[in-house]
């Protein structure tokens, strides 16, 4: 079997290009239309890997007598080795951060008032949500993910080869609690790699404004920031909320970077609900809602396509206009 670094073919020719993505179905329950995302428990379902065989009668039997995760890992390697030039496969574990204080605030004030008033503040009523931290519940949700990995690693689940993390505090906290202390293989240690583009929707909401780089590295000295990571936040604007089309383009650009430069086949992304929704849309996956702390694995096929990715035109800021006073929450909200 070839070395992992040979899994991604070299570019066919010079010139601009991007990747066309599709979700490979039949491997994870979350990718199947009949799965109800409202009641799906990824911990109880052990990430949702579908039990199946990985060979046909008369073919290579090397998957036999292996656990499902080990057989799946071999299968992904086989697909990459057999793929045409410019085509390759990766499994992405997309994790949403645990509950943050901004989530508590939105529930407290109601979404309408949150979007037009409270989200523009750094905090209120004893809560702080500027670059929001995890609540106690959010920390427990991340620890639950840690427990699932601890349970599945002895069963042969492939350890992620890269741990990509958003630079927001709540995602860095979630990644640490989810992945620390699990005895990862020596060639796949937990080393968080912070990427700017895997963030939540940009602008207006202070919970989505990251801290300065010096503060991040002081609070999380074990992380690695991507090259050219600036000291102040270069992407957040106080008066412009990133539209969905722009967010999708940003996350597809992030995927292009990962699929071009990362030789790994199993990758972890610790991110946000909006960012994960854009990734799922970008890879042709069905809509699948994640609760805070939720994780969804996606088996992705990428095919190199000549030409630059088409950037959408700039659209008006997403969300309501700011309001001078918070609207009165509807009955039943604001508790």
């Amino acid at each position: 079997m070839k070395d992992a670094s040979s899994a991604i073919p070299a570019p066919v020719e010079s010139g601009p290009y991007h990747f066309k993505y599709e979700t490979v179905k039949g491997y994870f329950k979350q990718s199947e239309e009949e799965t109800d995302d409202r009641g799906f428990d990824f911990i109880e379902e052990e990430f949702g890997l579908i039990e199946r065989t990985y060979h046909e009668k008369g073919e290579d039997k090397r998957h036999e007598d292996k656990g499902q995760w080990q057989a799946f890992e071999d299968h992904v390697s086989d697909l990459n080795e057999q793929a045409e030039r410019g085509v390759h496969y990766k499994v992405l574990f997309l994790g949403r951060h645990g509950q943050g204080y901004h989530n508590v605030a939105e529930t407290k004030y109601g979404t309408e008032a949150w979007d037009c008033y409270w989200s523009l503040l750094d905090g209120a009523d004893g809560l702080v949500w500027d670059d929001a931290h995890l609540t106690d519940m959010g920390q427990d949700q991340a620890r639950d993910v840690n427990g699932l990995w601890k349970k599945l690693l002895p069963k042969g689940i492939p350890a992620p080869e890269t741990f990509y993390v958003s630079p927001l505090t709540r995602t860095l906290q979630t990644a640490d609690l989810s992945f620390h202390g699990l005895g990862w293989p020596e060639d796949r240690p937990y080393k968080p790699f912070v990427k700017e583009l895997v963030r939540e929707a940009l602008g207006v909401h202070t919970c989505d404004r990251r801290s300065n780089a010096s503060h991040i590295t002081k609070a999380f000295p074990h992380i690695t920031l991507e090259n050219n990571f600036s000291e102040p936040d270069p992407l957040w604007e106080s008066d412009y909320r990133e539209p969905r089309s722009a967010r999708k383009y940003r996350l597809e650009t992030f995927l292009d970077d990962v699929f071009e430069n990362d030789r790994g086949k199993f990758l972890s992304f610790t991110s946000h609900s909006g960012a994960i929704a854009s990734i799922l849309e970008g890879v042709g996956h069905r809509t699948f809602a994640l609760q805070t702390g939720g994780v969804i694995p996606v088996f992705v096929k990428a095919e190199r396509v000549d030409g630059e990715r088409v950037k959408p035109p700039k659209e008006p800021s997403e969300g309501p206009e700011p309001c001078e006073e918070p609207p009165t929450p509807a009955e039943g909200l604001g508790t």
Side-chain angles (χ1 to χ4, degrees):
M1 184 171 290
K2 295 181 182 179
D3 182 81
S5 63
S6 64
I8 300 180
V12 177
E13 59 186 39
S14 61
Y17 62 92
H18 63 283
F19 290 98
K20 179 179 70 174
Y21 301 103
E22 66 176 275
T23 296
V24 186
K25 294 187 176 183
Y27 295 89
F28 291 103
K29 294 177 183 179
Q30 297 94 315
S31 300
E32 309 306 304
E33 296 297 332
E34 62 269 20
T35 301
D36 182 2
D37 62 335
R38 294 170 298 177
F40 189 83
D41 187 333
F42 75 98
I43 292 180
E44 181 180 334
E45 296 285 349
E46 298 186 349
F47 286 130
L49 183 68
I50 296 172
E51 187 170 345
R52 52 170 290 167
T53 57
Y54 290 92
H55 68 272
E56 300 295 335
K57 185 176 180 180
E59 292 185 351
D60 191 345
K61 307 293 187 182
R62 67 184 177 279
H63 301 312
E64 290 185 346
D65 302 323
K66 289 188 174 183
Q68 282 289 299
W69 282 107
Q70 292 173 311
F72 177 54
E73 182 178 24
D74 285 349
H75 181 64
V76 175
S77 294
D78 290 346
L79 288 175
N80 276 296
E81 290 183 0
Q82 298 161 9
E84 297 178 0
R85 184 177 292 273
V87 174
H88 46 272
Y89 299 82
K90 295 184 187 294
V91 179
L92 314 179
F93 287 91
L94 308 177
R96 183 184 178 188
H97 62 78
Q99 183 194 65
Y101 284 103
H102 64 305
N103 302 124
V104 173
E106 183 174 356
T107 300
K108 174 181 174 66
Y109 299 118
T111 297
E112 180 185 2
W114 169 256
D115 282 341
C116 80
Y117 183 81
W118 298 105
S119 67
L120 284 65
L121 308 179
D122 289 348
D125 299 329
L127 295 177
V128 177
W129 52 77
D130 172 29
D131 189 10
H133 291 210
L134 294 182
T135 65
D136 290 344
M137 178 184 290
Q139 294 178 42
D140 287 341
Q141 290 170 334
R143 292 188 184 101
D144 288 341
V145 174
N146 184 287
L148 180 57
W149 280 102
K150 185 176 182 179
K151 177 182 178 181
L152 294 181
L153 282 168
K155 295 184 179 182
I157 188 173
E161 293 152 276
T162 310
F163 296 86
Y164 293 102
V165 187
S166 156
L168 278 294
T169 295
R170 58 190 179 272
T171 43
L172 290 161
Q173 290 176 324
T174 297
D176 280 357
L177 291 169
S178 297
F179 300 123
H180 181 72
L182 287 173
W184 299 103
E186 290 185 5
D187 62 339
R188 300 185 183 188
Y190 169 58
K191 292 185 176 180
F193 186 41
V194 174
K195 297 283 283 186
E196 195 84 86
L197 293 184
V198 74
R199 294 166 56 173
E200 185 55 288
L202 303 166
V204 179
H205 295 192
T206 62
C207 59
D208 300 325
R209 179 179 60 202
R210 73 160 170 84
S211 299
N212 289 339
S214 55
H215 175 85
I216 295 172
T217 53
K218 182 178 180 180
F220 303 94
H222 55 291
I223 68 172
T224 298
L225 301 178
E226 66 180 320
N227 291 335
N228 301 316
F229 192 88
S230 68
E231 171 66 8
D233 188 340
L235 302 179
W236 188 88
E237 299 178 62
S238 63
D239 58 354
Y240 184 80
R241 183 74 170 166
E242 181 182 39
R244 177 175 173 175
S245 61
R247 188 184 71 198
K248 178 174 179 285
Y249 173 80
R250 170 167 60 86
L251 271 299
E252 288 174 335
T253 301
F254 166 72
L255 287 177
D256 288 345
D257 176 32
V258 169
F259 274 77
E260 169 61 20
N261 295 301
D262 194 320
R263 302 301 192 195
K265 298 183 290 293
F266 290 82
L267 308 175
S268 169
F269 299 169
T270 305
S271 188
H272 310 262
S273 60
I276 291 172
S278 289
I279 290 175
L280 293 180
E281 183 180 1
V283 302
H285 194 281
R286 55 165 291 195
T287 301
F288 202 97
L290 289 183
Q291 298 297 320
T292 52
V295 182
I296 180 172
V298 184
F299 189 16
V300 178
K301 176 184 177 182
E303 180 179 0
R304 182 184 184 277
V305 178
D306 290 335
E308 295 182 356
R309 182 173 295 283
V310 177
K311 185 175 183 178
K314 186 169 183 177
E315 297 178 343
S317 178
E318 187 169 273
E321 291 291 326
C323 48
E324 294 184 2
E325 297 289 339
T328 301
E331 184 176 354
L333 292 177
T335 58

